Amino acid sequence: EVQLVESGGGLVQAGGSLRLSCAASGFTFDAYAIGWFRQAPGKEREGVSFISSSDGSTNYADSVKGRFTISSDNAKNTVYLQMNSLKPEDTAVYYCAAGLLGYYGLGPLVFSGPDGMDYWGKGTLVTVSS
């Protein structure tokens, strides 16, 4: 059974930090990319950051570049999202998702967004107060 379990969300003041974790099981981890997405109330789900479990390549949305860092521990099948300098506009439910890597690697998954991902976690709420 495929499982993606997020943890680490919570309430933090603006300027603070949180680290999200995504524990994966039930599939061949290094054949997939893991993406972090977020969805704020009334808004569409958007991609935040991606990492290839195959070669470690990463991608970030412009809104989080320089503040968020994605990393992967392949031995633990776990991906982390370190979020620093948090802003109220980062408030959202954060989801991790897994997408099968193809010949062209991370790029096509980043381009296709949520539709390109195969498995999803249930999400963890991040609230940033001003």
Side-chain angles (χ1 to χ4, degrees):
E1 178 189 5
V2 172
Q3 283 193 318
L4 291 167
V5 180
E6 304 96 337
S7 61
L11 173 64
V12 64
Q13 288 188 331
S17 299
L18 284 174
R19 188 175 83 152
L20 305 183
S21 299
C22 173
S25 62
F27 60 94
T28 305
F29 188 74
D30 58 6
Y32 283 75
I34 301 295
W36 284 99
F37 294 78
R38 66 187 181 187
Q39 188 165 21
K43 294 189 176 182
E44 292 188 353
R45 192 169 297 189
E46 62 172 351
V48 174
S49 185
F50 297 79
I51 187 166
S52 166
S53 301
S54 175
D55 63 11
S57 55
T58 60
N59 180 277
Y60 296 91
D62 288 343
S63 58
V64 306
K65 278 182 183 175
R67 300 188 298 124
F68 290 11
T69 303
I70 192 169
S71 61
S72 179
D73 185 339
N74 284 26
K76 295 182 179 179
N77 285 7
T78 300
V79 170
Y80 304 97
L81 185 68
Q82 178 67 42
M83 307 186 295
N84 298 329
S85 303
L86 282 161
K87 305 175 181 180
E89 51 264 44
D90 294 317
T91 295
V93 177
Y94 283 71
Y95 301 88
C96 68
L100 184 64
L101 288 164
Y103 180 82
Y104 295 103
L106 199 56
L109 289 173
V110 174
F111 180 79
S112 61
D115 290 343
M117 308 307 280
D118 300 299
Y119 307 117
W120 289 86
K122 294 182 178 180
T124 185
L125 177 63
V126 172
T127 304
V128 184
S129 64
S130 57

